[in-house]
Every structure is written in C-alpha cells, then in structure tokens.
Amino acid sequence: MQMIQMGLVFGTLHFIKKFKLDEPEYVQYIQAMYALSVCLLMATIFYLKTLVESKNDQSRLEYTEPQLGGQQTHVATTVKEYDLKDIKRVRNSTLTTAAVVLFMFWKFGFVQPMIFQTILPIFNMIKSPLFQIYLLGKPATGDLARPWRPENPFAP
C-alpha cells in the first residue's frame, strides 16, 4: 500500500510539472477539484457515522493505549464508541488539513498542497479500517481487528 501511495505522490509531482499552476484557469480548476474532494470526504465521514450509529454494536472492547512517558492506560469501551471516536479523529484531521491548505493558498498563493490534498486523503480514506469494514463489508479480523494501530512509515 505504501508503494502505491509513494507512486501516487511522485506521479502527481511529475504530472503537475507539465502545467503552469499560476495561470488563473488552472487555479480555478484546482480549487474546484479540492472543494469537491473535501465535500466527498466529509460526506463519506457523515455516512460512516450514520452506519456506525445504525449498527449500534455494543460489543465490549478492551485494550491498552500507550501514553507519553512509556506508560499504558487500560481502556474499556464498546465497538460503537471506538468507531465513533475514530470517525471524530478523521473528521477533525480533515477539517484541520483543509484549514491549513486554504490558509497557505490565501496567504501565500500555494497551489501544490491543494493538488496533493485532493488525492491523498481520498486514498487514505479508502484504505482506512472504517471504510473497509463499513462500506466494503470486510470482516473486522486480521489487520482490520480493533484496536487499530496507526501505520508506522519507518517500520521494516
């Protein structure tokens, strides 16, 4: 998966070198595509939230969560609460990233972050456990078993 993501980044870099991104017609298309991708992400997040709430899985989930300083905290929750917490994290991350990208465009005129943030978050959403379980119907076993651990890009 990470090779695909790297290929996507480098392919996009190669593709955008062919265009003069400071021309107004390109900027308008890039803005429209970015706005569309953020709307698509937010709609998907909202839909996932409704699926989690309608499924109402009250199965118990217990795990230990690492804290700063090497300590661990025992967490007891339900699958529904865990999934809603992850949805909230994804939503907040999406909105924060959108605010940063829009600020960078408004203040400095940077267009490249908009291009990357049009593609990468959608790719990340598709490979997320929430999407895989609730929209693709995959069982929550193996890599999709809760609790989900964030990917370590430096792991071998």
Side-chain angles (χ1 to χ4, degrees):
M1 259 319 183
Q2 292 206 354
M3 293 302 289
I4 294 171
Q5 190 167 2
M6 284 178 46
L8 197 59
V9 168
F10 290 122
T12 303
L13 272 172
H14 180 71
F15 181 74
I16 63 176
K17 286 181 183 179
K18 298 188 182 299
F19 297 99
K20 293 182 179 180
L21 297 179
D22 55 347
E23 292 185 18
E25 67 266 10
Y26 289 135
V27 173
Q28 289 176 343
Y29 289 126
I30 292 167
Q31 287 173 326
M33 287 179 57
Y34 180 67
L36 182 64
S37 75
V38 170
C39 289
L40 178 66
L41 280 168
M42 293 307 293
T44 304
I45 291 167
F46 178 75
Y47 185 59
L48 282 169
K49 183 179 179 194
T50 60
L51 288 175
V52 169
E53 289 173 342
S54 68
K55 188 171 181 183
N56 197 23
D57 189 346
Q58 295 297 320
S59 303
R60 297 295 298 161
L61 179 63
E62 294 187 27
Y63 60 96
T64 56
E65 195 169 83
Q67 299 294 318
L68 292 176
Q71 296 179 350
Q72 294 190 355
T73 303
H74 181 76
V75 178
T77 186
T78 65
V79 169
K80 177 184 176 182
E81 290 171 355
Y82 183 83
D83 291 354
L84 288 174
K85 182 179 175 184
D86 199 48
I87 287 171
K88 183 178 180 180
R89 180 193 59 78
V90 171
R91 183 199 66 210
N92 290 346
S93 173
T94 300
L95 293 174
T96 302
T97 302
V100 169
V101 168
L102 291 174
F103 174 78
M104 289 171 53
F105 175 75
W106 172 72
K107 187 72 173 171
F108 306 109
F110 294 155
V111 178
Q112 292 87 346
M114 246 189 262
I115 295 169
F116 286 109
Q117 291 303 314
T118 298
I119 300 166
L120 291 177
I122 293 173
F123 178 77
N124 289 335
M125 174 62 79
I126 291 171
K127 70 177 192 169
S128 76
L130 285 168
F131 189 92
Q132 298 283 317
I133 292 169
Y134 286 99
L135 293 177
L136 298 183
K138 292 185 177 180
T141 57
D143 289 343
L144 298 178
R146 295 168 187 89
W148 302 311
R149 301 288 179 217
E151 284 186 29
N152 182 358
F154 303 109

